[in-house]
Amino acid sequence: MSVEPNPGIVALSPYVGGDATLAADDALTLVRMMSNENPYGCSEAVKHAFRDMSSHFEVYPSSSHGPLRQAIGEVHGLSPDRIVCGNGSDNLIHMIAQAYLQPGDEVLYTKHGFLVYPIATQASGGVPIPVEETADFHPDFHALLKSVTPKTKIVFLANPNNPTGTYTSYADLLAFREKLRSDILLVVDSAYAEYVEAADYDAGVRLADAFDNVVMIRTFSKAYGLAGLRLGWGYAAPDIVQTLEKTREPFNLNIVAQVCGEVAVRDQAFVTLSRQNNTRVRTWLAGELEKRGYSVVPSEANFLLWHVGPGAKEMYDHLCHHSVYIRRVKAYHLPDHLRITIGTQAQCQRFLDVLSLKKQ
Ligand SMILES: Cc1ncc(COP(=O)(O)O)c(C=O)c1O
């Protein structure tokens, strides 16, 4: 007789990320625009902090993340007691699912929503329910509300969403929360918040302040350029934070991530520069693709969802063949699209040059 894993795990298809072995060592020839990483690296202050770190790796890291939560709180004007840190925001998504789901509980997310939501849901015995979006790739709040059943427990919404790049205004999110049953947890995943320029956007702080059934989650993997360190944080009402603290592994953040995260969050000049560069290059690249007859979905994030058509796989192969790596989004039910992370202007120019080599 074999040992059976829980049924949710048996049914899971594991998340497949961009290939990390396509490292930047080959930077001259290789264009890495597939994982929504920061093409400008990270803050110089973080690099210094890393070099200056004592090498006492025999000592356990802080399990309370006190100085890091303090720094995040100071920079964002939030109480550190309402902050919980994760080994990447993926870790927080799993912690939320583990803490709140019982077998059979339903979890709503948008059809083209981030793939870790259904994975974390199933791993905790929940039932993921993808909900259709509007034709322009926004959450369809009417459809989401119609999909609510007595078993609904969590709604995951990425804002902006990956891989569409679309965002929801604070007013629309507020209206949705008000109509949603109060025993349903709304998770606002703002992994790309630092890139957003739209004036009517709120990353989730206002909503988490106004409701005790909202969690905002954030990451250092994108605008901070620290994907390799694995660091995310959440902000919610004290009850939720205390619940998540119960499921959190005590040493889920290593020493390097904690020290570097603290320095990174205090260097908002780096984040501003990343946002400005991203907006400039994204606007230019979208224009260049449109000049070539393609459409892209308007994006507030550090990537563009590019409509290629039935030849998307062939286009992807052509780009890979020339060492330009972007992302297929077939797993997101978007077989005719490709997702392009906004690289530096030079990387995006290389992408366009390779694109023009493609025979129609
Ligand atoms: C919407 C969204 N949420 C969360 C994550 C996870 O980020 P991390 O675990 O690196 O913090 C990603 C990563 O791509 C994402 O796109």
Side-chain angles (χ1 to χ4, degrees), residues 6 31 48 73 94 181 184 204 213 236 272 294 297 300:
N6 90 42
V31 175
H48 284 130
H94 280 275
R181 245 184 20 235
I184 296 173
N213 46 17
T272 302
Y294 292 108
V297 178
E300 283 287 327

Short mmCIF file of all heavy atoms in Angstrom, two decimals, residues 6 31 48 73 94 181 184 204 213 236 272 294 297 300:
data_model
loop_
_atom_site.label_atom_id
_atom_site.label_comp_id
_atom_site.label_asym_id
_atom_site.label_seq_id
_atom_site.Cartn_x
_atom_site.Cartn_y
_atom_site.Cartn_z
N ASN A 6 -2.56 14.28 0.25
CA ASN A 6 -3.94 14.74 0.30
C ASN A 6 -4.48 14.96 -1.12
O ASN A 6 -3.71 15.28 -2.03
CB ASN A 6 -4.11 15.91 1.29
CG ASN A 6 -3.93 17.27 0.68
OD1 ASN A 6 -4.40 17.54 -0.42
ND2 ASN A 6 -3.25 18.15 1.39
N VAL A 31 18.69 38.06 -23.78
CA VAL A 31 17.74 39.06 -23.28
C VAL A 31 16.72 38.34 -22.43
O VAL A 31 15.97 37.48 -22.91
CB VAL A 31 17.07 39.81 -24.46
CG1 VAL A 31 16.00 40.74 -23.93
CG2 VAL A 31 18.12 40.60 -25.24
N HIS A 48 25.64 47.27 -0.88
CA HIS A 48 26.60 47.59 0.19
C HIS A 48 26.24 46.85 1.47
O HIS A 48 27.10 46.28 2.12
CB HIS A 48 26.62 49.11 0.47
CG HIS A 48 27.37 49.86 -0.57
ND1 HIS A 48 26.87 50.97 -1.20
CD2 HIS A 48 28.59 49.64 -1.10
CE1 HIS A 48 27.75 51.39 -2.10
NE2 HIS A 48 28.80 50.60 -2.06
N GLY A 73 6.91 49.69 7.97
CA GLY A 73 5.89 50.53 8.61
C GLY A 73 6.23 52.00 8.51
O GLY A 73 5.37 52.82 8.15
N HIS A 94 0.14 31.12 0.13
CA HIS A 94 -0.02 29.77 0.70
C HIS A 94 -0.44 29.84 2.17
O HIS A 94 -1.28 29.05 2.61
CB HIS A 94 1.27 28.96 0.54
CG HIS A 94 1.44 28.38 -0.83
ND1 HIS A 94 0.89 27.18 -1.21
CD2 HIS A 94 2.08 28.85 -1.92
CE1 HIS A 94 1.19 26.93 -2.47
NE2 HIS A 94 1.92 27.92 -2.93
N ARG A 181 -19.91 39.41 0.77
CA ARG A 181 -20.26 38.99 2.14
C ARG A 181 -19.09 39.23 3.10
O ARG A 181 -17.94 39.05 2.71
CB ARG A 181 -20.58 37.50 2.11
CG ARG A 181 -22.02 37.20 2.45
CD ARG A 181 -22.35 35.72 2.51
NE ARG A 181 -21.27 34.80 2.69
CZ ARG A 181 -21.04 33.78 1.86
NH1 ARG A 181 -21.78 33.57 0.79
NH2 ARG A 181 -20.03 32.96 2.08
N ILE A 184 -16.21 36.63 3.81
CA ILE A 184 -15.32 36.24 2.70
C ILE A 184 -14.09 37.15 2.77
O ILE A 184 -14.22 38.38 2.89
CB ILE A 184 -16.02 36.41 1.34
CG1 ILE A 184 -17.21 35.45 1.25
CG2 ILE A 184 -15.04 36.18 0.19
CD1 ILE A 184 -18.07 35.66 0.00
N GLY A 204 -4.08 49.07 -1.69
CA GLY A 204 -4.86 48.19 -0.81
C GLY A 204 -4.82 48.63 0.64
O GLY A 204 -5.56 48.09 1.47
N ASN A 213 -11.67 42.43 6.81
CA ASN A 213 -11.66 41.18 6.04
C ASN A 213 -10.96 41.38 4.69
O ASN A 213 -11.35 40.82 3.67
CB ASN A 213 -13.09 40.65 5.84
CG ASN A 213 -14.04 41.76 5.44
OD1 ASN A 213 -13.59 42.83 5.00
ND2 ASN A 213 -15.33 41.53 5.55
N ALA A 236 -2.88 43.83 7.12
CA ALA A 236 -4.30 43.49 7.37
C ALA A 236 -4.66 43.85 8.80
O ALA A 236 -3.81 44.30 9.59
CB ALA A 236 -4.51 41.98 7.15
N THR A 272 11.55 54.78 -7.29
CA THR A 272 11.03 55.82 -8.18
C THR A 272 11.71 55.75 -9.55
O THR A 272 11.06 55.83 -10.60
CB THR A 272 11.26 57.22 -7.55
OG1 THR A 272 10.61 57.22 -6.28
CG2 THR A 272 10.72 58.34 -8.41
N TYR A 294 0.53 45.31 -34.24
CA TYR A 294 0.10 44.45 -33.13
C TYR A 294 -0.70 45.24 -32.11
O TYR A 294 -0.58 46.46 -32.02
CB TYR A 294 1.31 43.86 -32.41
CG TYR A 294 2.09 42.87 -33.23
CD1 TYR A 294 3.34 43.21 -33.74
CD2 TYR A 294 1.58 41.61 -33.50
CE1 TYR A 294 4.08 42.29 -34.49
CE2 TYR A 294 2.31 40.69 -34.25
CZ TYR A 294 3.54 41.04 -34.74
OH TYR A 294 4.26 40.13 -35.48
N VAL A 297 -2.26 45.01 -24.45
CA VAL A 297 -3.26 45.41 -23.46
C VAL A 297 -2.65 46.57 -22.64
O VAL A 297 -1.51 46.45 -22.18
CB VAL A 297 -3.59 44.22 -22.53
CG1 VAL A 297 -4.58 44.63 -21.45
CG2 VAL A 297 -4.13 43.05 -23.35
N GLU A 300 -0.30 48.81 -16.45
CA GLU A 300 0.25 49.67 -15.38
C GLU A 300 1.40 48.94 -14.69
O GLU A 300 1.88 49.39 -13.65
CB GLU A 300 -0.84 50.01 -14.36
CG GLU A 300 -1.81 51.08 -14.81
CD GLU A 300 -1.22 52.50 -14.82
OE1 GLU A 300 -0.38 52.82 -13.98
OE2 GLU A 300 -1.62 53.28 -15.71
#
